[in-house]
Amino acid sequence: MRQIFFILWLMMSSGVLAQSESLSEQTREQVSSLIHLFQSNDQVGISLRISYPFDRPYPISRIDNFEEFVVRFDQVFDEAMVAEIGNSTLEDWSTVGWRGTMYKSGDLWMTEDGFIKVVNRHTEAMDHWQKQLIEKDRQRLHSSVQRYEFPLAIIRTSSHYLRIDALADQTYRLVYWTINQSMSESPVEIVEQGKMFVEGSMANRYVFFPMNKEGEEVTIYLDYLESTVLDEVQISYLSPMGLERVDRGYLMK
């Protein structure tokens, strides 16, 4: 998992600097007030500056509101990151067009309204909890798909459950169950040799699988920017004849 975040950091840092803009007066005020909250270690104040719902990597559940964030604060920000942001200056922050304002090379992202929407770092508490959840998650799966490094996503469509897992060889596996099945049952299809791609300063992800049982290329856009629906995912199937069919689903949190 840490390797994934390091790769994201490298990709973001290579493409963002050319797009960054100087901070507007309004943004300078938003950043300054946020820095002050971290300087004071004001966990309540910081929790009031979060854009909800606040996503966490699967299988950790997202944080839906202020009260929950206060309880789970240490899973998002550890002492080192609180101190680092508290000691930051305006020069450490930059606006990147419509995407918002980022701290350093994308460690944290803030909306135009001044709310934190993404934190791209892991804390020790989060890593520990995630490992426990992964082991619990593994036990509920059919034996044929219990071997993986970590789960990336579970998607529900109108007809199927789709699950994407990262494997030890740094490829990804896509597993299908019908909508009426449990994941403890034998899956109806397993597609392997997937690769994940990350694009843009916001680290938008999609996973490409070269061939399903129908001979189609499968591309799953986990961050579907064109959608206005929360957690919507686009799934593209491309036949050997170049014919595309598109399905949509929703990330299960």
Side-chain angles (χ1 to χ4, degrees):
M1 178 66 75
R2 289 179 179 175
Q3 289 180 335
I4 296 285
F5 272 77
F6 181 68
I7 293 171
L8 297 185
W9 184 86
L10 288 176
M11 297 186 73
M12 288 187 294
S13 61
S14 65
V16 165
L17 295 179
Q19 305 174 45
S20 62
E21 305 169 2
S22 59
L23 304 180
S24 68
E25 186 60 35
Q26 177 183 359
T27 303
R28 293 171 69 90
E29 293 176 2
Q30 292 169 346
V31 170
S32 295
S33 64
L34 191 61
I35 290 174
H36 179 71
L37 291 174
F38 279 92
Q39 284 176 339
S40 307
N41 194 20
D42 185 350
Q43 297 187 11
V44 171
I46 295 169
S47 300
L48 288 169
R49 291 285 297 273
I50 301 295
S51 177
Y52 299 105
F54 187 75
D55 282 338
R56 300 280 75 203
Y58 185 85
I60 297 177
S61 61
R62 69 186 180 194
I63 303 175
D64 288 320
N65 52 54
F66 158 78
E67 291 82 7
E68 189 178 355
F69 197 96
V70 172
V71 174
R72 296 172 57 183
F73 185 90
D74 291 341
Q75 294 175 11
V76 181
F77 297 110
D78 56 18
E79 292 182 1
M81 190 170 188
V82 169
E84 181 182 325
I85 296 175
N87 290 323
S88 67
T89 66
L90 293 176
E91 285 68 35
D92 294 317
W93 300 73
S94 56
T95 297
V96 189
W98 57 269
R99 299 173 181 85
T101 299
M102 68 177 182
Y103 169 62
K104 290 194 171 178
S105 296
D107 291 350
L108 179 151
W109 283 86
M110 190 176 71
T111 66
E112 291 182 355
D113 298 328
F115 290 88
I116 298 169
K117 62 179 177 178
V118 175
V119 175
N120 281 322
R121 283 197 196 174
H122 275 199
T123 66
E124 185 176 339
M126 175 179 161
D127 284 340
H128 178 71
W129 191 28
Q130 188 174 33
K131 287 178 182 178
Q132 289 183 322
L133 291 176
I134 287 174
E135 289 310 309
K136 184 177 180 181
D137 177 73
R138 195 189 312 275
Q139 298 307 313
R140 71 188 182 98
L141 295 177
H142 188 264
S143 59
S144 64
V145 290
Q146 284 187 349
R147 300 188 68 174
Y148 61 89
E149 290 295 298
F150 61 87
L152 182 65
I154 294 180
I155 302 162
R156 176 173 179 154
T157 71
S158 60
S159 58
H160 289 86
Y161 289 110
L162 285 65
R163 178 186 174 102
I164 305 174
D165 292 308
L167 304 182
D169 62 358
Q170 299 186 342
T171 64
Y172 289 82
R173 178 184 66 204
L174 174 61
V175 185
Y176 289 81
W177 291 269
T178 67
I179 203 69
N180 297 318
Q181 280 186 293
S182 163
M183 291 186 187
S184 63
E185 298 179 63
S186 180
V188 295
E189 183 175 1
I190 299 175
V191 186
E192 298 186 318
Q193 297 301 312
K195 294 183 179 180
M196 184 166 75
F197 297 87
V198 183
E199 292 186 340
S201 55
M202 286 294 288
N204 300 308
R205 304 159 300 157
Y206 67 91
V207 189
F208 172 78
F209 296 89
M211 185 180 298
N212 65 7
K213 65 181 182 181
E214 304 295 333
E216 298 169 310
E217 296 178 354
V218 183
T219 306
I220 301 179
Y221 298 92
L222 296 173
D223 303 299
Y224 182 37
L225 297 181
E226 296 180 13
S227 175
T228 58
V229 179
L230 183 66
D231 297 330
E232 186 174 24
V233 171
Q234 178 173 293
I235 307 145
S236 170
Y237 298 91
L238 187 65
S239 76
M241 300 296 293
L243 300 176
E244 183 182 25
R245 60 186 178 95
V246 175
D247 195 5
R248 287 184 171 82
Y250 301 91
L251 291 171
M252 298 180 64
K253 301 293 186 176

